[in-house]
Amino acid sequence: MKKTILLLAFLIIGIAAVAKPPCLKVETLFDGSYNSNKSVSLQISKSPKEYFRGCTVSNNRELVKKIEKMFKEDAGRAEKSQELTQNGRPSYSSMIIQNNGFEIYVGLSYESGSGCYLFIKGSPEAFR
Amino acid sequence: MSMQQNILTFRETEQLCRLYLDCRLSVAEETELHYVLGKLPYRSRIIDEARESMGIAVALGRRSDVNVRKTAIWRARYRYAGVAASVVIALAVSVSMWFIAGNNAVSRSSIAQREIVAYEAGKKLAPEAASEAVDKSIRKADMLMARSEAFDKASLEHRNYLMNLTDDTK
């Protein structure tokens, strides 16, 4: 009897533990540390239907490199990734990461003048 | 009485039972037979019939087996009931948690359908401006996603074209 209850308790805990946030490196851009950065614009939206994060960087080569590094680190977990180039230089990179059975789309667009635009988009269930 | 128990053979017991069923035993003999049938393990149609009419379901030796079996059955039943109760409790907890989570989500979404925050050049934007900035950003993201998808489609078509070309040359 006790064994059965213990087993069920472990089963429930196990199921609850399966659902976890994706913990993407690029998400650290939205943890508040860049809110007051003058070269950064952040757009955060969360609704029952969609989870969205947008980040525009302008005139900050170092930050662009940092974002690029974070993106590449996350790309290791991607189900699918794509890189578009223009004149031999990357213009847009994207990847799809699966979490909790839902897709997370991450895109990084390189903009002129040492800038970039990064976005994270997906179902809210993917981020729980 | 114990003497009688040792002396009585199967045939004698059966004979006594036959007499009992024919109502030819005295009250004292019936009492003795009742006691004997409760103690002896003999079984036959007549003995069992006598036992049944006396209200003795089975001989004592068998009764202990039955008791053991009944205890085992009840133990198994308790175990299954325990498992069933645990499953029901677990399901009830899961369902109630799911409902609570659902209600919380509904109440949250009814208070604010969409949570929007935006910062521009280190400053937090007012709700209206933030909403506008977020919508613009989403449109830009959608456009980039569409472009990427179109590129994927085009490269797939190109690959198929090349494959067909190779097949034709064969």
Side-chain angles (χ1 to χ4, degrees):
Chain A
M1 183 74 158
K2 280 179 189 171
K3 275 183 189 171
T4 315
I5 292 169
L6 208 67
L7 195 76
L8 278 165
F10 277 123
L11 197 74
I12 292 165
I13 292 165
I15 290 165
V18 168
K20 56 175 184 177
C23 301
L24 299 174
K25 296 275 180 192
V26 288
E27 274 188 303
T28 54
L29 289 166
F30 306 93
D31 63 4
S33 50
Y34 292 92
N35 288 358
S36 53
N37 193 316
K38 288 191 174 177
S39 61
V40 175
S41 294
L42 300 170
Q43 301 88 37
I44 299 165
S45 164
K46 195 181 169 188
S47 72
K49 283 183 182 175
E50 193 183 56
Y51 176 102
F52 179 82
R53 300 280 185 269
C55 172
T56 311
V57 178
S58 49
N59 301 316
N60 195 330
R61 193 181 293 272
E62 270 186 33
L63 188 56
V64 171
K65 279 188 178 174
K66 199 176 172 183
I67 291 171
E68 197 177 9
K69 195 184 166 198
M70 288 192 275
F71 186 92
K72 280 179 180 165
E73 278 177 24
D74 286 332
R77 294 168 53 190
E79 298 264 315
K80 188 184 164 192
S81 61
Q82 182 195 56
E83 192 173 83
L84 303 183
T85 52
Q86 204 168 24
N87 302 326
R89 296 177 70 184
S91 64
Y92 178 68
S93 301
S94 68
M95 61 179 161
I96 294 171
I97 295 170
Q98 284 272 355
N99 195 54
N100 299 336
F102 293 88
E103 284 186 351
I104 300 170
Y105 194 101
V106 186
L108 175 64
S109 167
Y110 296 91
E111 317 220 315
S112 55
S114 308
C116 73
Y117 171 68
L118 176 121
F119 69 92
I120 308 166
K121 200 177 175 183
S123 168
E125 281 84 1
F127 297 88
R128 274 176 194 153
Chain B
M1 183 56 70
S2 61
M3 278 286 284
Q4 184 123 19
Q5 193 184 319
N6 291 332
I7 289 164
L8 277 178
T9 62
F10 177 77
R11 277 174 184 275
E12 286 167 342
T13 314
E14 214 171 29
Q15 182 60 32
L16 275 170
C17 286
R18 203 168 282 126
L19 289 168
Y20 167 77
L21 292 169
D22 292 342
C23 301
R24 284 157 64 188
L25 289 181
S26 67
V27 177
E29 283 168 335
E30 273 185 15
T31 315
E32 271 186 30
L33 183 65
H34 186 276
Y35 180 80
V36 165
L37 287 181
K39 291 281 180 191
L40 290 176
Y42 301 149
R43 296 202 72 173
S44 75
R45 192 181 58 79
I46 295 188
I47 292 171
D48 285 348
E49 207 174 311
R51 273 199 184 107
E52 206 178 317
S53 60
M54 281 177 175
I56 307 166
V58 274
L60 270 182
R62 298 278 301 161
R63 200 175 289 168
S64 62
D65 286 350
V66 169
N67 282 347
V68 168
R69 209 184 320 137
K70 275 186 180 172
T71 316
I73 289 167
W74 275 107
R75 202 171 289 160
R77 278 181 189 167
Y78 280 130
R79 196 175 298 147
Y80 285 127
V83 171
S86 307
V87 169
V88 167
I89 290 167
L91 277 174
V93 169
S94 314
V95 168
S96 52
M97 278 174 76
W98 185 66
F99 269 109
I100 290 165
N103 286 342
N104 284 348
V106 168
S107 59
R108 260 188 275 123
S109 62
S110 61
I111 293 164
Q113 274 290 319
R114 196 174 166 207
E115 293 167 33
I116 286 176
V117 184
Y119 293 87
E120 190 129 7
K123 283 182 184 171
K124 192 176 180 180
L125 297 179
E128 269 186 34
S131 178
E132 208 174 297
V134 166
D135 286 342
K136 195 178 164 188
S137 184
I138 290 173
R139 278 199 298 276
K140 188 175 179 178
D142 286 344
M143 188 204 66
L144 286 166
M145 281 170 77
R147 203 172 73 179
S148 161
E149 205 174 312
F151 180 82
D152 258 354
K153 203 177 163 186
S155 62
L156 188 74
E157 277 171 10
H158 184 65
R159 197 166 51 196
N160 286 341
Y161 169 75
L162 287 175
M163 291 281 280
N164 289 336
L165 211 65
T166 323
D167 288 344
D168 288 346
T169 52
K170 280 178 185 172

